[in-house]
Amino acid sequence: MTGAMDGHAEDRGRVFQASGDQHISEHHHYGDAAAPPSGPDSVRRPAVGRPPVVLRDRAEVLERLRDGMRAGRGGEVYVLYGMGGCGKTAVACTLFQLATAEYGRVGLWVSASDRASLRAGMLAVAADRGAGDGELLAARNGLRPAADLVWQYLDRSAEPWLLVLDNADQPEILRDGSWLRTSPRGTVVVTTRRSAAHWWPGAELQHIGVLPREDAARVLRDLAPHSGTQEEAAAIAERLGRLPLALTLAGGFLSQQVLDPWTLETYGRHLDEEERVELIDRGADALSERDPRHLVGLTWQLTLDAFEARGLPEATALLRLLARFAPEPLPLSLLDRAGISGVLPRARCETALRALLDQSLTELVDVGVRCAQSHGVLLDSVAAATPAEQVPVLNTTAVLLLDTAVPDVPDAGPHDPLLRLLVPHGLALLRRIGDPSTSTDALAVVTRLSIALHRTGDYLSAWETARAAADLGERLLGAEHRLVLAARSRAGRALFRLGRYAEAEALLGRVRATQERLFGADDPDTLDSGHGLQLVLGNLGRRDEAIRLVRSTVAGRRRVLGPAHPLTLRSRSSMLVLLPASEIVAEDGGTLLSLPSKCVRFLGADHTVTLGAHHNRAWALYLLGRFDEAGQEIRLVTEAYRRRFGPDYPIALSAQQLLSRTQAARGHMDAAIELMADVVARRERGLGPDHPFTVAGRRLLGDLSSGRWRPPET
C-alpha cells in the first residue's frame, strides 16, 4: 500500500479505505424490497362487495340518517350496529349515494376493519380535503399526530361531507387514536358489530336487524326474478332467517346458474338435503377474491379470532355451546348452572355472554322470561366450523343444562312459560347429536319435558313435543327403542286430552302391543301405556274393555311398583270412575271407596294423586246417590284445584262440572246452571268449541237449563 486512496471494487464488491480509524456498520437486506405504505385506491367510492339492487325495508332508518344531512346540519355521529351479514354496510352505501347525489355532499369512505386500513384511509381523506405531501409524510412517519391532521382538514372543508367508517368492529382502534370525532362540516356514519354504548359516547345508535318477511322475499326476487313466486321466495327467506347476506348469496346463486337453473322450490329442497352453510356460500362470486365478510361460513370467524386475540376463549366456547341449541329465545337461567363448567368456567359465563352481546352475536329478549337469542344461520355456521373433538363435550353439556331445567318428576301445575321455551332447544339437540348414547340422554329429557307440559294442561305443546322427539329419536335409535316408544306413548296420552280419541287409541294400542312384545306385560312402560289406553277406551264408551285393562294395569303395578306407589294408586283411582255403582262398593273387598285415605297416608293430603282420588270418589258417591257426601267432597276438591292450578285448568273444570251435577241433584238448579255455564265458557276458550269435553259440557248445560236433566238412578 502506498498510502494513497487507490482502492477500487467491481460489481457488488465493497472497498473500505481510510487513513485513520474506521467504524463500519452494515445492514444487509435480501429479497424484494418492502412496498412503501399505500392508501386505498379511492375514498370517494364505497368499498363494498355486492351493493344491493334495491335496499329493502330500511326506509325508517334512512329517513333518520337523511335528517342529519339536511341543510345546516352537521356534527352528528350515527352508529349502525348489528350482527355480521345484517346489511349495515348496504345501508351506509345507500346513504352514501343519497348524500352525493341529492344533498351535494362529498362522500368519503374508509375501511376501519384494522389499524393499518383505518390510518391509510383517513390520511387519504386528509389528502382529498387538501393536505399537502409534506404534511402527509410527516403524519405517516409519526412526526405529527395523524388524526389531528385529518380532522383539521375535515373541519376546514369548503364542502359539506359524509364520512363512513365501515366495519369498525374494533372500536378501541378508533378510541386509541382519537380517530372518531365530530365536525360542524359533516356527518359521520360508523358500521360495526359492537353494540355496547360505552364504545360510542355521544353517538346515536341504530340497530340493523334482519328483514321483514315480505321485504326479505323481495331481495331474492330482485336478484333472481324468474326463480319462483313471491310466496316461494318468502318461504325460502324464512329458511334463511331473513338475513340480508344469506339472501344475497342465495339470490346470487340462483341468478348465476346457466346449465340447469334451479327454482326456489329446488333450492329449498337442497337446503334440506345439503349442508346449509356450504350451499348458501355457493352464491359468492367465484371470480372475485374471497372476502370473509361476504360469506356466511366465514364472516363470524373474524369475531371468534378476535376473541382469541383478546384473551376471551370462553366467549368462543359459549357461542359454540349456543350453537347446539335452536335460534329461539334461550332462557338465561339455563346458562347459570354448574353443568356449564364442562365447556367454560361458570364464573366466566357472565363475561363471555357480555362479549357475545357486544359483538351482536346474540341479543337479549324478554318474552316473559329473560332470554338470549342468536340467528339461525350464525348458529349453523358456528356449529359447522366447531372442531370435531369439541363436539361431544358440547353436546353432553347442552343436554345436562336442559336436563337440570326440566322437573325430575313433573307434577300437575299451572302454566309455566319456561317449559315451552325449552322445547325448540331440546328438539335442536336431537337434530344435531349424532352419538347414540348422548341422543338417548337427550330423548329422555325431551320426553320428560313433554310430560311436564302435559301436566300443566298444555296438551297441544305436549303432543307436538313428544311426536317430534319420537320422530327424531327414531332416525338414530330405531323405531323399537325403549325411549322412542315411550315418547310415542306420551304423544298418545296428549292426543287423548286433545279429544282426538280415535288417533289416541290407535297409537297407544300399537305402542303397548310393541312394548309388551319386547319388554313384557309387567314392564313399567307397558303398564304406563295401558293406563293411558284405558282412559281412552272409557271415554269411547267401551267400558268393559277399559275395566279389564285397568284391572290388569293395577295388578301389574302392584307386582312391580308396590301397592303404595303413586302410579299404582293412580290406576286404582281410575276404577272409581269406570266401575258401575253396583260393583264399586264390593271392589277390593269393599276398600275401594276408602282409597283417598290410603293416598293421604302414603302420599300426603296435597299430593296430586290424592286430590284425584278424592275427585273420583266424589263421582262414585254421586253414582251411588249419596249426593250430599259427593257435593261436600267435590266442593273441597274444586277449591283445591282452583287454588293450585287456576280456574281454567282442565281438571279444575272437570271437578266444577261434577259440582254442578251434585248441586242439581240436591235441588239447587240455579247454582248448577251457573257453574256449568262457566265451565262451558272456559272450555270453549281453552279447548275450543268442538272438543269432546266442551261438547259434553254444552249438552249437560242444555239438559239442566231445559229441565231434561235427571239424577243417576241408584
Side-chain angles (χ1 to χ4, degrees), residues 411-624:
D411 195 6
H415 171 69
D416 183 353
L418 176 67
L419 295 176
R420 192 179 294 180
L421 290 172
L422 297 177
V423 171
H425 303 293
L427 298 178
L429 282 172
L430 286 171
R431 291 187 189 95
R432 291 202 187 278
I433 294 172
D435 168 50
S437 175
T438 311
S439 181
T440 297
D441 294 338
L443 181 56
V445 173
V446 178
T447 302
R448 199 169 80 243
L449 175 58
S450 76
I451 297 173
L453 288 163
H454 187 111
R455 299 274 164 83
T456 66
D458 189 356
Y459 303 127
L460 180 59
S461 294
W463 170 66
E464 291 173 340
T465 302
R467 180 188 60 167
D471 290 344
L472 291 168
E474 183 176 317
R475 294 190 309 183
L476 191 62
L477 303 175
E480 295 190 342
H481 189 279
R482 175 182 288 276
L483 289 177
V484 173
L485 290 169
R488 297 265 183 234
S489 181
R490 291 311 312 182
R493 299 281 288 270
L495 283 171
F496 161 64
R497 290 296 177 184
L498 289 170
R500 296 162 62 175
Y501 295 160
E503 295 173 75
E505 181 203 359
L507 179 56
L508 285 169
R510 185 168 64 251
V511 169
R512 179 175 176 270
T514 304
Q515 290 171 326
E516 188 170 2
R517 172 172 57 82
L518 295 173
F519 315 131
D522 281 352
D523 183 84
D525 287 355
T526 307
L527 295 169
D528 190 66
S529 296
H531 179 86
L533 182 56
Q534 60 87 17
L535 294 172
V536 180
L537 295 173
N539 278 269
L540 285 171
R542 293 155 59 179
R543 176 174 293 186
D544 291 343
E545 293 178 68
I547 290 173
R548 286 195 298 272
L549 185 53
V550 76
R551 289 188 194 280
S552 172
T553 302
V554 168
R557 283 181 162 173
R558 273 176 167 159
R559 286 191 296 270
V560 175
L561 304 175
H565 193 280
L567 295 179
T568 305
L569 296 171
R570 187 189 296 274
S571 292
R572 289 192 66 201
S573 179
S574 290
M575 298 179 71
L576 285 165
V577 177
L578 285 172
L579 291 175
S582 59
E583 298 181 24
I584 291 175
V585 177
E587 185 70 20
D588 275 350
T591 64
L592 186 58
L593 280 174
S594 65
L595 180 64
S597 62
K598 292 182 180 178
C599 291
V600 171
R601 185 167 73 252
F602 294 134
L603 307 177
D606 295 329
H607 197 281
T608 303
V609 172
T610 303
L611 288 175
H614 279 295
H615 184 170
N616 291 352
R617 181 177 184 271
W619 173 258
L621 293 172
Y622 170 75
L623 291 181
L624 291 168

Side-chain angles (χ1 to χ4, degrees), residues 71-352:
R73 297 290 298 273
E76 292 86 358
V77 176
Y78 298 97
V79 175
L80 311 181
Y81 72 92
M83 65 182 294
C86 68
K88 304 178 294 295
T89 296
V91 174
C93 180
T94 301
L95 180 68
F96 189 99
Q97 294 166 347
L98 290 171
T100 56
E102 296 185 15
Y103 291 95
R105 298 236 176 176
V106 172
L108 303 165
W109 190 283
V110 173
S111 170
S113 60
D114 57 73
R115 292 181 188 274
S117 297
L118 174 65
R119 184 180 180 86
M122 291 297 275
L123 287 174
V125 165
D128 182 273
R129 294 294 84 203
D133 291 343
E135 294 172 300
L136 293 169
L137 182 61
R140 290 192 183 100
N141 291 336
L143 300 178
R144 65 174 298 171
D148 289 350
L149 175 67
V150 174
W151 283 97
Q152 173 186 326
Y153 277 92
L154 286 171
D155 288 339
R156 293 178 181 176
S157 176
E159 303 159 293
W161 44 261
L162 170 71
L163 172 63
V164 175
L165 300 176
D166 191 32
N167 295 324
D169 299 334
Q170 301 179 64
E172 58 271 20
I173 297 175
L174 297 174
R175 179 195 61 194
D176 295 346
S178 191
W179 289 106
L180 182 58
R181 307 182 191 182
T182 61
S183 171
R185 298 300 299 149
T187 299
V188 181
V189 172
V190 180
T191 71
T192 182
R193 302 181 184 189
R194 306 293 287 277
S195 63
H198 67 82
W199 290 118
W200 317 109
E204 182 174 336
L205 274 66
Q206 174 64 55
H207 178 250
I208 306 296
V210 299
L211 295 171
R213 178 183 173 91
E214 293 305 312
D215 287 292
R218 291 189 184 99
V219 171
L220 287 173
R221 301 203 71 212
D222 288 340
L223 293 164
H226 305 298
S227 60
T229 66
Q230 178 74 8
E231 291 73 20
E232 291 172 328
I236 296 298
E238 285 289 351
R239 300 276 301 278
L240 299 175
R242 295 178 277 119
L243 183 70
L245 175 58
L247 297 168
T248 300
L249 289 168
F253 175 79
L254 292 169
S255 68
Q256 292 168 6
Q257 291 181 303
V258 177
L259 291 177
D260 184 20
W262 289 3
T263 63
L264 283 165
E265 188 274 332
T266 305
Y267 190 86
R269 188 169 65 251
H270 280 268
L271 281 174
D272 291 328
E273 298 170 353
E274 299 183 29
E275 211 293 316
R276 181 160 75 146
V277 173
E278 291 183 3
L279 175 58
I280 295 171
D281 279 344
R282 286 168 64 184
D285 188 348
L287 300 180
S288 300
E289 183 179 352
R290 284 169 61 89
D291 184 343
R293 293 182 183 275
H294 300 157
L295 298 169
V296 296
L298 296 177
T299 184
W300 294 291
Q301 189 60 43
L302 298 171
T303 304
L304 301 189
D305 293 343
F307 285 151
E308 297 292 334
R310 291 161 53 197
L312 283 171
E314 60 270 20
T316 300
L318 179 58
L319 186 59
R320 286 172 175 162
L321 178 63
L322 294 179
R324 313 319 295 170
F325 294 112
E328 303 292 338
L330 179 72
L332 290 176
S333 59
L334 202 72
L335 303 177
D336 190 21
R337 298 177 185 271
I340 203 169
S341 60
V343 171
L344 72 156
R346 184 180 183 184
R348 296 290 291 170
C349 188
E350 174 78 18
T351 301

